Structure formats: structure tokens, C-alpha cells
């Protein structure tokens, strides 16, 4: 008798998209939410907004798109201390850290970002490039070309992304190259600034990084994980849009 269990496909991983907001640019935020809505990912996707007291209509916009919204009035710390109180809302297999100025550029972004998790050694994934469209602000296009909105990170080689014209990922140690991603190990000397702008992580690991009365800083959190041997990432051969505008 054929073992029917072996013929069953694995259930797609469920995703909790986590976004911190405080009076976001409404047009950019709408583009971000619309891009999520258009994804062809086959698993369950839910979006949680942890808001610091938005007054410009951003909360109503998020609810219009079916987001779960939790408001922390007068919290201006970019959501870093809103996360522990929101742990119970993170019910998916994967937590995707997506900022309100991040736009998924195509309908298969989530599918490709989640693919590396088929390898159980990989605990987190992120895209190797930033990208843009021709009508976007020159700063968005420029920083995508560099691979980072921060010149210091670029010149120190600490951006997790590589320049858009660079076809091969060259940070950390490449363990294996697949058709749509790299399996990469980092050390404390080679770890770039991971943890933000389209960064996906296994939910049980992410929630383990959140502690009561402790502000969460992604740059520190993933460095601490290295000391525990958690060092293997999937770097996907795709891109995310990170909007950069004059302040």
C-alpha cells in the first residue's frame, strides 16, 4: 500500500508580517500594504501593526487592508519596545520584519523569501538587493545602487545587501548556492546589519529575543545569537524596495 502521508505536500509556513509605525508617509504605506495584498504566497499571511500613536490616518489605512493594529500611545522609539507586549500576536511560523517604507516589488517575493526555510539549519532569510522603479525619488534609486541607505555601512562593508549591479553575494561564508538563494554562515566579524527591511526569521527564535522591560535592537540581538551557534542564513536572489526620501 502506498504511504499516503508521504504523498502529501508540506503545509506552507504561515507568516506574521510585523511593522512598526508612527505617522508613516501615507502613500508609501499604502503601496506597502497593496504589495502585500497582491502576493501569491500559498500560506497564511497576517499583518500586525505596532503603532506609536499615529494621528495622520495611518491606523485607518492599516485597518482598511485588514491589518491587526495595536497602538502604544506616545511611543516614539520606532517600535523597539512595543514588541514584547505584542508577542502573543505573533502566531505564525515565520515573523517578517517589514517597515512601512518597504515595498515588495513583485507578487512572488514572499514565496522566494520563505523557500530557504526548507533547510532546517537556516533560521532567517533576507533579500540580497534593494531595488527601485524609474519614477521613484533619486535617493531611493541611488541607495539601491549602493545597497544601503547608510554610506557608513556601505564603506565599512556592513550592509546586509549588496549593490544592485552585483550579481553574486559575497558576504560571510557561502555554504551552498541554490537556484534562488545562498546558504550563508556569518561570524561576529562578518555579520552585517541584519534584522530589518524584509528580514524573515523563524517565529520561535524571534520571540525568544524579546524580553520584558528590554528594548529590542536588531543589530545586537542577532550578534548575541552567534554566541549560541545560530549563524546560518538564507540570502535570497531577489530584491526589496526601501524608500529613501529627504528628511
Amino acid at each position: 500500500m502506498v504511504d499516503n502521508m508521504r504523498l502529501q505536500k508540506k503545509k506552507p509556513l504561515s507568516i506574521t508580517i510585523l511593522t512598526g509605525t508612527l505617522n508613516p508617509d501615507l502613500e508609501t504605506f499604502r503601496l506597502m500594504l497593496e504589495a502585500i495584498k497582491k502576493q501569491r504566497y500559498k500560506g497564511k499571511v497576517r499583518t500586525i501593526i505596532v503603532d506609536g500613536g499615529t494621528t495622520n490616518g495611518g491606523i485607518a489605512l492599516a485597518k482598511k487592508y485588514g491589518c491587526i493594529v495595536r497602538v502604544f500611545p506616545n511611543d516614539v522609539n520606532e517600535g523597539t519596545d512595543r514588541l514584547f507586549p505584542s508577542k502573543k500576536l505573533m502566531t505564525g511560523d515565520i515573523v517578517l520584519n517589514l517597515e512601512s517604507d518597504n515595498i515588495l516589488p513583485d507578487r512572488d517575493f514572499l514565496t522566494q523569501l520563505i523557500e530557504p526555510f526548507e533547510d532546517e539549519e537556516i533560521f532567517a532569510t533576507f533579500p540580497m538587493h534593494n531595488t527601485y522603479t524609474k519614477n521613484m525619488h533619486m535617493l531611493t534609486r541611488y541607495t539601491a545602487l549602493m545597497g544601503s541607505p547608510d554610506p557608513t555601512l556601505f564603506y565599512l562593508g556592513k550592509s546586509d545587501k549588496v549593490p544592485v549591479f552585483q550579481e553574486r553575494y559575497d558576504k560571510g561564508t557561502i555554504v551552498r548556492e541554490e537556484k534562488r538563494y545562498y546558504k550563508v554562515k556569518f561570524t561576529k566579524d562578518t555579520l552585517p546589519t541584519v534584522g530589518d527591511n524584509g528580514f524573515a526569521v523563524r517565529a520561535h527564535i524571534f520571540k525568544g529575543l524579546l524580553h520584558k522591560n528590554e528594548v529590542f535592537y536588531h543589530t545586537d540581538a542577532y550578534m548575541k545569537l552567534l554566541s549560541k551557534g545560530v549563524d546560518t542564513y538564507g540570502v535570497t536572489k531577489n530584491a526589496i524596495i526601501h524608500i529613501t526620501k529627504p528628511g
Side-chain angles (χ1 to χ4, degrees), residues 174-217:
I174 308 298
V175 177
R176 187 179 74 249
E177 181 177 0
E178 298 288 349
K179 182 179 180 180
R180 301 207 296 179
Y181 70 90
Y182 297 94
K183 181 178 180 178
V184 183
K185 285 184 178 287
F186 293 109
T187 67
K188 67 177 183 179
D189 294 320
T190 63
L191 183 70
T193 53
V194 296
D196 203 8
N197 298 307
F199 183 85
V201 59
R202 295 188 189 274
H204 71 278
I205 292 179
F206 183 74
K207 290 191 284 186
L209 298 172
L210 307 178
H211 303 287
K212 190 175 182 179
N213 299 323
E214 181 178 309
V215 177
F216 175 80
Y217 294 109

Side-chain angles (χ1 to χ4, degrees), residues 112-131:
Q112 188 166 345
L113 190 69
I114 299 303
E115 182 180 333
F117 288 112
E118 294 176 357
D119 184 329
E120 294 188 359
E121 279 192 309
I122 291 173
F123 85 96
T125 69
F126 58 90
M128 67 181 284
H129 289 133
N130 286 323
T131 191

Side-chain angles (χ1 to χ4, degrees), residues 121-146:
E121 279 192 309
I122 291 173
F123 85 96
T125 69
F126 58 90
M128 67 181 284
H129 289 133
N130 286 323
T131 191
Y132 59 91
T133 61
K134 291 182 179 180
N135 63 335
M136 288 181 172
H137 192 278
M138 62 178 296
L139 282 179
T140 297
R141 290 179 282 154
Y142 179 71
T143 56
L145 289 171
M146 292 177 61

